Amino acid sequence: AFNAFGKYDRRYRLNPSTSYGSSIDKALLAVMVPAGIVDGTLCVAWLNGILTNAWYRYPTQLVVSALHAFGTLVYWGDEVFPAYMSWFKGRGWRWTATDGPQSL
């Protein structure tokens, strides 16, 4: 899956690998691993709350949504901020790991 997605987002398929042997960008790992563990657990609790009509259904939904929004901001900020800084310094807008809207 990483190899297929890496065609459009090079952060998933670094070549060459990092000094510590990873082929995935460290910012991506910092967002995706905790999100998979924390959000995954909360989604199971949320589903249980939905199925049993529990009181914690809506607070859990709010927390899952907020965490997802934060992860999305960090995920795209890691790509957009370096491109903006390149543009700001007069070197043009350069996407670092994606081809920007062109790859769509």
Side-chain angles (χ1 to χ4, degrees), residues 18-98:
T18 62
S19 60
Y20 47 89
S22 176
S23 63
I24 300 174
D25 182 56
K26 63 183 174 185
L28 206 61
L29 282 174
V31 171
M32 295 301 181
V33 171
I37 295 168
V38 175
D39 290 0
T41 305
L42 283 172
C43 282
V44 170
W46 180 23
L47 177 62
N48 186 52
I50 291 170
L51 295 176
T52 61
N53 202 21
W55 65 269
Y56 56 84
R57 178 170 101 182
Y58 296 113
T60 308
Q61 179 180 359
L62 184 62
V63 171
V64 168
S65 297
L67 289 173
H68 185 75
F70 174 74
T72 301
L73 289 175
V74 172
Y75 179 86
W76 283 108
D78 182 50
E79 179 68 8
V80 172
F81 186 71
Y84 170 76
M85 289 306 294
S86 174
W87 172 80
F88 185 74
K89 293 177 181 177
R91 290 184 259 149
W93 189 278
R94 294 188 186 155
W95 296 99
T96 55
T98 67

Coordinates of all heavy atoms in Angstrom, one line a residue, residues 18-98:
T18 N 16.2 6.6 4.9 CA 16.8 7.5 5.9 C 18.0 6.8 6.5 O 18.2 5.6 6.4 CB 15.8 7.9 7.0 OG1 15.4 6.7 7.6 CG2 14.6 8.6 6.4
S19 N 18.7 7.5 7.3 CA 19.9 7.0 8.0 C 19.5 5.9 9.0 O 20.3 5.0 9.3 CB 20.6 8.1 8.7 OG 19.8 8.7 9.7
Y20 N 18.3 5.9 9.5 CA 17.8 4.9 10.4 C 17.1 3.8 9.7 O 16.4 3.0 10.4 CB 17.0 5.5 11.6 CG 16.0 6.5 11.2 CD1 14.7 6.0 10.9 CD2 16.3 7.8 11.1 CE1 13.7 6.9 10.5 CE2 15.3 8.7 10.7 CZ 14.0 8.3 10.4 OH 13.1 9.1 10.0
G21 N 17.1 3.7 8.4 CA 16.5 2.6 7.7 C 15.1 2.7 7.3 O 14.5 1.7 6.8
S22 N 14.4 3.8 7.5 CA 13.0 3.9 7.2 C 12.8 4.5 5.8 O 13.6 5.3 5.3 CB 12.4 4.9 8.2 OG 11.0 5.1 7.9
S23 N 11.8 4.0 5.1 CA 11.5 4.5 3.8 C 10.3 5.5 3.9 O 9.7 5.9 2.9 CB 11.2 3.4 2.8 OG 10.1 2.7 3.3
I24 N 9.8 5.8 5.1 CA 8.7 6.7 5.3 C 9.2 8.0 6.0 O 10.0 7.8 7.0 CB 7.6 6.0 6.1 CG1 7.1 4.8 5.3 CG2 6.4 7.0 6.3 CD1 6.1 4.0 6.1
D25 N 8.7 9.1 5.6 CA 9.2 10.4 6.2 C 8.9 10.4 7.7 O 7.8 9.9 8.2 CB 8.4 11.5 5.5 CG 8.8 12.9 6.0 OD1 10.0 13.2 6.0 OD2 7.9 13.6 6.5
K26 N 9.8 11.0 8.5 CA 9.6 11.0 10.0 C 8.4 11.8 10.4 O 7.8 11.5 11.4 CB 10.9 11.5 10.7 CG 11.3 12.9 10.3 CD 12.6 13.3 11.0 CE 13.0 14.7 10.6 NZ 14.3 15.0 11.1
A27 N 8.1 12.9 9.8 CA 6.9 13.7 10.1 C 5.6 12.9 9.9 O 4.7 13.0 10.7 CB 6.8 15.0 9.4
L28 N 5.6 12.1 8.8 CA 4.5 11.3 8.5 C 4.3 10.2 9.6 O 3.2 9.9 10.0 CB 4.7 10.6 7.2 CG 3.5 10.2 6.4 CD1 2.6 11.4 6.1 CD2 3.9 9.6 5.1
L29 N 5.4 9.6 10.0 CA 5.4 8.6 11.1 C 4.9 9.2 12.4 O 4.2 8.6 13.1 CB 6.8 8.0 11.3 CG 7.2 6.9 10.2 CD1 8.6 6.5 10.5 CD2 6.3 5.7 10.3
A30 N 5.4 10.4 12.6 CA 5.0 11.1 13.9 C 3.5 11.3 14.0 O 2.9 11.4 15.0 CB 5.7 12.4 14.1
V31 N 2.8 11.5 12.8 CA 1.4 11.7 12.8 C 0.6 10.4 12.7 O -0.4 10.2 13.4 CB 1.0 12.7 11.6 CG1 -0.5 12.7 11.4 CG2 1.6 14.0 11.8
M32 N 1.0 9.5 11.8 CA 0.3 8.3 11.4 C 0.3 7.3 12.5 O -0.7 6.6 12.7 CB 0.7 7.7 10.1 CG 0.5 8.7 8.9 SD -1.2 9.0 8.8 CE -1.3 10.1 7.4
V33 N 1.4 7.0 13.2 CA 1.5 6.0 14.2 C 0.6 6.3 15.4 O -0.2 5.5 15.7 CB 2.9 5.7 14.6 CG1 3.0 4.7 15.7 CG2 3.7 5.1 13.4
P34 N 0.8 7.5 16.0 CA -0.1 7.8 17.1 C -1.6 7.8 16.7 O -2.5 7.4 17.4 CB 0.3 9.1 17.6 CG 1.7 9.2 17.2 CD 1.8 8.5 15.9
A35 N -1.9 8.3 15.5 CA -3.2 8.4 15.0 C -3.8 7.0 14.9 O -5.0 6.8 15.2 CB -3.3 9.1 13.7
G36 N -3.1 6.1 14.3 CA -3.6 4.7 14.2 C -3.9 4.1 15.5 O -4.9 3.4 15.6
I37 N -3.0 4.3 16.5 CA -3.2 3.7 17.8 C -4.4 4.4 18.6 O -5.3 3.8 19.0 CB -1.9 3.7 18.6 CG1 -0.9 2.8 17.9 CG2 -2.1 3.3 20.0 CD1 0.5 3.0 18.5
V38 N -4.2 5.7 18.7 CA -5.2 6.5 19.5 C -6.5 6.6 18.8 O -7.6 6.3 19.4 CB -4.7 7.9 19.9 CG1 -5.7 8.7 20.6 CG2 -3.4 7.8 20.7
D39 N -6.5 7.0 17.6 CA -7.8 7.2 16.8 C -8.5 5.8 16.6 O -9.7 5.7 16.7 CB -7.6 7.8 15.5 CG -7.2 9.3 15.6 OD1 -7.1 9.8 16.7 OD2 -7.0 9.9 14.6
G40 N -7.7 4.8 16.4 CA -8.3 3.5 16.2 C -9.0 3.0 17.4 O -10.1 2.5 17.4
T41 N -8.4 3.2 18.6 CA -9.0 2.8 19.8 C -10.2 3.6 20.1 O -11.3 3.1 20.5 CB -8.0 3.0 21.0 OG1 -6.8 2.2 20.7 CG2 -8.6 2.5 22.3
L42 N -10.1 4.9 19.9 CA -11.3 5.8 20.1 C -12.4 5.4 19.1 O -13.6 5.5 19.5 CB -10.9 7.2 19.9 CG -10.2 7.8 21.1 CD1 -9.7 9.2 20.8 CD2 -11.1 7.9 22.4
C43 N -12.1 5.0 17.9 CA -13.2 4.7 16.9 C -13.9 3.4 17.4 O -15.1 3.3 17.2 CB -12.6 4.5 15.5 SG -12.2 6.0 14.7
V44 N -13.2 2.5 18.0 CA -13.8 1.3 18.5 C -14.8 1.7 19.7 O -15.9 1.2 19.7 CB -12.8 0.2 19.0 CG1 -13.4 -0.9 19.7 CG2 -12.0 -0.3 17.8
A45 N -14.3 2.6 20.5 CA -15.2 3.0 21.6 C -16.4 3.8 21.1 O -17.5 3.7 21.6 CB -14.4 3.9 22.6
W46 N -16.1 4.6 20.0 CA -17.2 5.4 19.4 C -18.3 4.4 18.8 O -19.5 4.6 19.0 CB -16.6 6.3 18.4 CG -17.6 7.1 17.6 CD1 -18.8 7.6 18.0 CD2 -17.3 7.7 16.3 NE1 -19.3 8.4 17.0 CE2 -18.5 8.5 16.0 CE3 -16.3 7.7 15.4 CZ2 -18.6 9.2 14.8 CZ3 -16.4 8.4 14.3 CH2 -17.5 9.1 13.9
L47 N -17.8 3.4 18.1 CA -18.7 2.4 17.5 C -19.5 1.7 18.6 O -20.7 1.5 18.5 CB -18.0 1.4 16.7 CG -18.8 0.3 16.1 CD1 -19.8 0.8 15.1 CD2 -17.9 -0.8 15.4
N48 N -18.9 1.3 19.7 CA -19.6 0.7 20.8 C -20.6 1.7 21.4 O -21.7 1.3 21.7 CB -18.6 0.3 21.9 CG -19.3 -0.5 23.0 OD1 -20.0 -1.4 22.7 ND2 -19.1 0.0 24.2
G49 N -20.3 3.0 21.5 CA -21.2 3.9 22.0 C -22.4 4.1 21.0 O -23.5 4.3 21.5
I50 N -22.2 4.0 19.7 CA -23.3 4.1 18.8 C -24.2 2.9 18.9 O -25.4 3.1 18.9 CB -22.7 4.3 17.3 CG1 -22.0 5.6 17.1 CG2 -23.8 4.1 16.3 CD1 -21.2 5.7 15.9
L51 N -23.6 1.7 18.9 CA -24.4 0.5 18.9 C -25.2 0.3 20.2 O -26.3 -0.2 20.2 CB -23.5 -0.7 18.7 CG -22.8 -0.8 17.3 CD1 -21.9 -2.0 17.3 CD2 -23.9 -0.8 16.2
T52 N -24.6 0.8 21.3 CA -25.3 0.7 22.6 C -26.0 2.0 23.0 O -26.6 2.0 24.1 CB -24.3 0.3 23.7 OG1 -23.3 1.3 23.8 CG2 -23.7 -1.1 23.4
N53 N -26.0 3.0 22.2 CA -26.6 4.3 22.5 C -26.1 4.8 23.8 O -26.9 5.3 24.7 CB -28.1 4.2 22.5 CG -28.8 5.5 22.2 OD1 -28.1 6.5 21.7 ND2 -30.0 5.7 22.6
A54 N -24.8 4.8 24.0 CA -24.2 5.2 25.3 C -24.0 6.7 25.4 O -24.0 7.4 24.3 CB -22.8 4.5 25.5
W55 N -23.9 7.2 26.6 CA -23.8 8.6 26.8 C -22.5 9.2 26.2 O -22.4 10.4 25.9 CB -23.8 8.9 28.3 CG -22.6 8.4 29.0 CD1 -22.5 7.2 29.6 CD2 -21.3 9.0 29.2 NE1 -21.3 7.0 30.2 CE2 -20.5 8.1 30.0 CE3 -20.8 10.2 28.9 CZ2 -19.2 8.3 30.3 CZ3 -19.5 10.5 29.3 CH2 -18.7 9.6 30.0
Y56 N -21.4 8.4 26.1 CA -20.1 8.9 25.6 C -20.0 8.9 24.1 O -18.9 9.2 23.5 CB -19.0 8.1 26.2 CG -19.1 6.6 25.9 CD1 -18.6 6.1 24.7 CD2 -19.6 5.7 26.9 CE1 -18.7 4.7 24.5 CE2 -19.7 4.4 26.6 CZ -19.2 3.9 25.4 OH -19.3 2.5 25.2
R57 N -21.1 8.6 23.4 CA -21.1 8.6 21.9 C -20.6 9.9 21.3 O -19.7 9.9 20.5 CB -22.4 8.1 21.4 CG -22.6 8.1 19.9 CD -23.9 7.4 19.6 NE -24.8 8.5 19.2 CZ -26.1 8.2 18.9 NH1 -26.5 7.0 18.9 NH2 -26.9 9.2 18.6
Y58 N -21.3 11.0 21.7 CA -21.0 12.3 21.1 C -19.7 12.9 21.5 O -18.9 13.4 20.7 CB -22.2 13.2 21.3 CG -23.4 12.7 20.6 CD1 -24.5 12.3 21.4 CD2 -23.5 12.6 19.2 CE1 -25.7 11.9 20.7 CE2 -24.6 12.2 18.6 CZ -25.7 11.8 19.4 OH -26.9 11.3 18.8
P59 N -19.3 12.8 22.8 CA -18.0 13.3 23.2 C -16.8 12.5 22.5 O -15.9 13.1 22.1 CB -17.9 13.0 24.7 CG -19.3 13.0 25.1 CD -20.1 12.4 24.0
T60 N -17.0 11.2 22.3 CA -16.0 10.5 21.6 C -15.9 10.9 20.1 O -14.8 11.0 19.5 CB -16.3 8.9 21.7 OG1 -16.4 8.6 23.1 CG2 -15.1 8.1 21.1
Q61 N -17.1 11.1 19.5 CA -17.1 11.6 18.1 C -16.4 12.9 18.0 O -15.6 13.1 17.0 CB -18.5 11.7 17.7 CG -18.7 12.2 16.2 CD -20.1 12.3 15.8 OE1 -21.1 12.0 16.6 NE2 -20.3 12.8 14.6
L62 N -16.6 13.8 18.9 CA -15.9 15.1 18.9 C -14.4 15.0 19.0 O -13.7 15.6 18.3 CB -16.5 16.0 20.1 CG -16.0 17.4 20.1 CD1 -16.4 18.2 18.9 CD2 -16.6 18.1 21.4
V63 N -14.0 14.1 19.9 CA -12.5 13.9 20.1 C -11.9 13.3 18.8 O -10.8 13.7 18.4 CB -12.2 13.0 21.3 CG1 -10.8 12.7 21.4 CG2 -12.6 13.8 22.6
V64 N -12.5 12.3 18.3 CA -12.0 11.7 17.1 C -12.0 12.7 15.9 O -11.0 12.7 15.2 CB -12.9 10.4 16.6 CG1 -12.6 10.0 15.2 CG2 -12.7 9.3 17.6
S65 N -13.0 13.5 15.8 CA -13.0 14.5 14.7 C -11.9 15.5 14.9 O -11.2 16.0 14.0 CB -14.4 15.2 14.7 OG -15.4 14.3 14.3
A66 N -11.7 16.0 16.2 CA -10.7 17.0 16.4 C -9.3 16.4 16.2 O -8.4 17.1 15.6 CB -10.8 17.4 17.9
L67 N -9.1 15.2 16.6 CA -7.8 14.5 16.3 C -7.5 14.4 14.8 O -6.4 14.6 14.4 CB -7.7 13.2 17.0 CG -7.5 13.3 18.6 CD1 -7.6 11.9 19.2 CD2 -6.2 13.9 18.9
H68 N -8.6 14.0 14.1 CA -8.4 13.9 12.7 C -8.1 15.2 12.0 O -7.2 15.3 11.1 CB -9.7 13.3 12.1 CG -9.5 13.0 10.6 ND1 -8.8 11.9 10.1 CD2 -10.0 13.6 9.5 CE1 -8.9 11.9 8.8 NE2 -9.6 13.0 8.4
A69 N -8.8 16.3 12.4 CA -8.5 17.6 11.9 C -7.1 18.0 12.2 O -6.4 18.6 11.3 CB -9.5 18.6 12.5
F70 N -6.6 17.8 13.4 CA -5.2 18.1 13.8 C -4.2 17.4 12.9 O -3.3 17.9 12.4 CB -5.0 17.8 15.3 CG -3.6 18.0 15.7 CD1 -3.1 19.3 15.8 CD2 -2.7 17.0 15.9 CE1 -1.7 19.5 16.2 CE2 -1.4 17.2 16.3 CZ -0.9 18.4 16.4
G71 N -4.5 16.1 12.7 CA -3.6 15.3 11.9 C -3.5 15.7 10.5 O -2.5 15.8 9.8
T72 N -4.7 16.2 10.0 CA -4.7 16.7 8.6 C -3.9 18.0 8.5 O -3.2 18.2 7.5 CB -6.2 16.9 8.2 OG1 -6.9 15.7 8.3 CG2 -6.3 17.4 6.7
L73 N -4.0 18.9 9.4 CA -3.3 20.1 9.4 C -1.8 19.8 9.5 O -1.0 20.4 8.7 CB -3.7 21.0 10.6 CG -5.1 21.6 10.4 CD1 -5.4 22.4 11.7 CD2 -5.1 22.5 9.2
V74 N -1.4 18.9 10.3 CA 0.1 18.6 10.4 C 0.5 17.9 9.1 O 1.6 18.2 8.6 CB 0.4 17.7 11.6 CG1 1.8 17.2 11.6 CG2 0.1 18.4 12.9
Y75 N -0.3 17.0 8.6 CA 0.1 16.3 7.4 C 0.3 17.2 6.2 O 1.3 17.1 5.5 CB -1.1 15.3 7.0 CG -0.9 14.5 5.8 CD1 -0.1 13.3 5.9 CD2 -1.4 14.9 4.6 CE1 0.0 12.5 4.7 CE2 -1.2 14.1 3.5 CZ -0.5 12.9 3.5 OH -0.4 12.2 2.4
W76 N -0.6 18.1 6.0 CA -0.5 19.1 4.8 C 0.5 20.2 5.2 O 1.1 20.8 4.3 CB -1.8 19.6 4.4 CG -2.5 18.5 3.6 CD1 -3.6 17.8 4.0 CD2 -2.2 18.1 2.3 NE1 -3.9 16.9 3.0 CE2 -3.1 17.1 1.9 CE3 -1.1 18.4 1.4 CZ2 -3.0 16.4 0.7 CZ3 -1.1 17.7 0.2 CH2 -2.0 16.7 -0.1
G77 N 0.5 20.6 6.4 CA 1.5 21.7 6.8 C 2.9 21.3 6.6 O 3.7 22.1 6.2
D78 N 3.2 20.0 6.7 CA 4.6 19.5 6.5 C 4.9 19.6 5.0 O 6.1 19.6 4.6 CB 4.6 18.0 6.9 CG 6.0 17.4 6.7 OD1 7.0 18.1 7.2 OD2 6.1 16.4 6.1
E79 N 4.0 19.7 4.1 CA 4.2 19.8 2.7 C 4.1 21.2 2.2 O 4.9 21.7 1.4 CB 3.2 18.9 1.9 CG 3.3 19.0 0.4 CD 4.6 18.4 -0.1 OE1 5.4 17.8 0.6 OE2 4.9 18.6 -1.3
V80 N 3.1 22.0 2.7 CA 2.8 23.3 2.3 C 3.8 24.4 2.8 O 4.3 25.3 2.1 CB 1.4 23.7 2.6 CG1 1.1 25.2 2.3 CG2 0.4 22.9 1.8
F81 N 4.2 24.2 4.1 CA 5.1 25.2 4.7 C 6.4 25.3 4.1 O 6.9 26.4 3.8 CB 5.2 25.0 6.2 CG 6.0 26.0 6.9 CD1 5.4 27.3 7.1 CD2 7.2 25.8 7.4 CE1 6.1 28.3 7.8 CE2 7.9 26.8 8.0 CZ 7.4 28.0 8.2
P82 N 7.1 24.2 3.8 CA 8.4 24.3 3.1 C 8.3 24.9 1.7 O 9.1 25.7 1.2 CB 8.9 22.9 3.0 CG 8.3 22.2 4.1 CD 6.9 22.8 4.2
A83 N 7.2 24.6 1.0 CA 6.9 25.2 -0.3 C 6.7 26.7 -0.2 O 7.2 27.5 -1.0 CB 5.7 24.6 -1.0
Y84 N 6.0 27.1 0.8 CA 5.7 28.6 1.0 C 7.0 29.3 1.4 O 7.3 30.4 0.8 CB 4.7 28.8 2.2 CG 4.6 30.2 2.6 CD1 4.0 31.1 1.8 CD2 5.3 30.6 3.8 CE1 3.9 32.5 2.2 CE2 5.2 32.0 4.1 CZ 4.5 32.9 3.4 OH 4.5 34.2 3.7
M85 N 7.9 28.7 2.2 CA 9.1 29.3 2.6 C 10.0 29.4 1.3 O 10.8 30.4 1.2 CB 9.8 28.5 3.7 CG 9.1 28.6 5.0 SD 8.9 30.3 5.6 CE 10.6 30.9 5.8
S86 N 10.0 28.5 0.4 CA 10.8 28.5 -0.8 C 10.3 29.7 -1.6 O 11.1 30.5 -2.2 CB 10.7 27.2 -1.6 OG 11.3 27.3 -2.8
W87 N 9.0 29.9 -1.7 CA 8.4 31.0 -2.5 C 8.7 32.3 -1.8 O 9.1 33.3 -2.5 CB 6.9 30.8 -2.6 CG 6.1 31.9 -3.2 CD1 6.0 32.2 -4.5 CD2 5.5 33.0 -2.4 NE1 5.3 33.4 -4.6 CE2 4.9 33.9 -3.4 CE3 5.3 33.2 -1.1 CZ2 4.2 35.0 -3.0 CZ3 4.5 34.3 -0.7 CH2 4.0 35.2 -1.7
F88 N 8.6 32.4 -0.5 CA 8.9 33.6 0.2 C 10.3 34.1 0.1 O 10.6 35.3 0.0 CB 8.6 33.3 1.7 CG 8.7 34.6 2.6 CD1 7.7 35.5 2.5 CD2 9.7 34.8 3.4 CE1 7.7 36.7 3.3 CE2 9.8 35.9 4.2 CZ 8.8 36.9 4.1
K89 N 11.2 33.1 -0.1 CA 12.7 33.5 -0.3 C 13.0 33.8 -1.7 O 14.2 34.0 -2.0 CB 13.5 32.4 0.3 CG 13.5 32.2 1.8 CD 14.3 31.1 2.3 CE 14.2 30.9 3.8 NZ 14.9 29.8 4.3
G90 N 12.0 33.8 -2.6 CA 12.2 34.1 -4.0 C 12.7 33.0 -4.9 O 13.1 33.2 -6.0
R91 N 12.6 31.7 -4.4 CA 13.0 30.6 -5.2 C 11.9 29.9 -5.9 O 12.0 28.8 -6.4 CB 13.8 29.6 -4.3 CG 15.1 30.2 -3.9 CD 15.9 29.2 -3.1 NE 15.8 29.5 -1.7 CZ 15.7 28.7 -0.6 NH1 15.8 27.4 -0.9 NH2 15.6 29.1 0.6
G92 N 10.7 30.4 -5.8 CA 9.5 29.8 -6.5 C 8.9 28.8 -5.5 O 9.5 28.3 -4.6
W93 N 7.6 28.5 -5.9 CA 6.9 27.5 -5.1 C 7.3 26.1 -5.4 O 7.1 25.7 -6.6 CB 5.4 27.7 -5.3 CG 4.5 26.9 -4.4 CD1 4.2 25.6 -4.5 CD2 3.9 27.4 -3.2 NE1 3.4 25.2 -3.5 CE2 3.2 26.3 -2.7 CE3 3.8 28.6 -2.6 CZ2 2.5 26.4 -1.5 CZ3 3.1 28.7 -1.4 CH2 2.4 27.6 -0.9
R94 N 7.9 25.4 -4.5 CA 8.5 24.1 -4.8 C 7.8 23.1 -3.8 O 8.0 23.1 -2.6 CB 10.0 24.0 -4.6 CG 10.7 24.8 -5.6 CD 12.2 24.6 -5.5 NE 12.9 25.5 -6.4 CZ 14.1 25.9 -6.3 NH1 14.8 25.5 -5.2 NH2 14.6 26.7 -7.1
W95 N 7.1 22.1 -4.4 CA 6.5 21.1 -3.6 C 7.7 20.1 -3.2 O 8.5 19.8 -4.1 CB 5.5 20.3 -4.3 CG 4.3 21.1 -4.6 CD1 4.0 21.7 -5.8 CD2 3.2 21.5 -3.8 NE1 2.8 22.4 -5.7 CE2 2.3 22.3 -4.5 CE3 2.9 21.2 -2.4 CZ2 1.2 22.8 -3.9 CZ3 1.8 21.7 -1.9 CH2 0.9 22.5 -2.6
T96 N 7.8 19.7 -2.0 CA 9.0 18.9 -1.6 C 8.7 17.4 -1.8 O 9.6 16.7 -2.2 CB 9.3 19.2 -0.1 OG1 8.1 19.0 0.7 CG2 9.8 20.6 0.1
A97 N 7.5 16.9 -1.5 CA 7.3 15.5 -1.6 C 6.2 15.1 -2.5 O 6.0 13.9 -2.8 CB 7.0 15.0 -0.2
T98 N 5.4 16.0 -2.9 CA 4.3 15.7 -3.9 C 4.5 16.6 -5.1 O 5.4 17.5 -5.1 CB 2.9 16.0 -3.3 OG1 2.8 17.4 -3.1 CG2 2.7 15.3 -2.0

